[in-house]
Amino acid sequence: MKTLVTTMIQIRESKTEDFDSIVALLRQLWPGKPVDPNSLRKVYDRALVSDRQVYICAIFDHQVVGFGSLTIKSNLWSEAFVGYVDEMVVDEAHRDRGIGTQILDHLISWARERGCNRIELDSAFHRKDAHAFYERRGFQSRAYLYSKLL
């Protein structure tokens, strides 16, 4: 049985030196996707200095055990800014301990402080546990995500 460790978790904005740990987490999030650290590094560095994006880490025992990212976008349908959770992952060995909730709560607060009136995300069809996690936190499925490579 896993125990809650939420009081021992530090949530903070990501730093340059967190990159390798975050790449390892992204490999867990996207197990079938080839991950190119050089390409990711460019996107990562750009986001670290953006005022429209935030990357955050969950730290336990001096290790990055969770990662979340959010981008603020203008949205006519919402008639406001919307916070979009781009990625969120907790290390497999640290799941079911409240870390994902802390990451999500931090992202929601960050978006709210910047004037967002809604937070959105997408989740792959096969991620049933993630769907249940988001639904327990008040998210509702209201659309499909369509994507096309350019």
Side-chain angles (χ1 to χ4, degrees):
M1 182 171 123
K2 294 182 181 178
T3 59
L4 274 151
V5 294
T6 57
T7 58
M8 303 158 117
I9 298 296
Q10 174 194 12
I11 304 294
R12 63 159 171 77
E13 290 198 17
S14 299
K15 301 176 183 177
T16 300
E17 57 268 22
D18 297 325
F19 179 75
D20 291 336
S21 297
I22 291 169
V23 169
L25 289 173
L26 293 175
R27 290 181 198 274
Q28 290 182 30
L29 182 62
W30 310 318
K33 181 183 188 305
V35 174
D36 176 9
N38 293 326
S39 295
L40 284 179
R41 187 72 202 215
K42 292 174 188 171
V43 176
Y44 183 81
D45 289 343
R46 189 170 52 238
L48 290 183
V49 298
S50 173
D51 62 349
R52 306 294 275 182
Q53 287 184 282
V54 66
Y55 285 179
I56 62 169
C57 291
I59 308 297
F60 176 71
D61 196 24
H62 306 288
Q63 289 185 299
V64 176
V65 297
F67 173 72
S69 66
L70 181 133
T71 302
I72 295 176
K73 63 180 193 168
S74 294
N75 186 280
L76 293 173
W77 185 85
S78 294
E79 301 172 352
F81 291 124
V82 170
Y84 196 87
V85 178
D86 298 298
E87 294 90 18
M88 196 170 108
V89 60
V90 174
D91 181 75
E92 292 167 351
H94 295 274
R95 291 184 185 157
D96 299 320
R97 299 179 184 183
I99 298 169
T101 297
Q102 287 188 54
I103 292 170
L104 187 59
D105 288 348
H106 190 90
L107 292 174
I108 290 169
S109 292
W110 193 88
R112 189 176 285 129
E113 289 168 6
R114 283 150 185 81
C116 295
N117 74 351
R118 176 180 293 275
I119 190 161
E120 296 181 336
L121 56 87
D122 61 77
S123 181
F125 293 121
H126 69 278
R127 297 192 180 279
K128 303 296 184 195
D129 290 343
H131 304 165
F133 170 83
Y134 294 123
E135 288 168 6
R136 284 191 306 271
R137 280 146 191 89
F139 284 77
Q140 297 174 331
S141 177
R142 67 171 189 85
Y144 286 108
L145 169 73
Y146 290 90
S147 178
K148 180 178 178 177
L149 286 175
L150 301 179

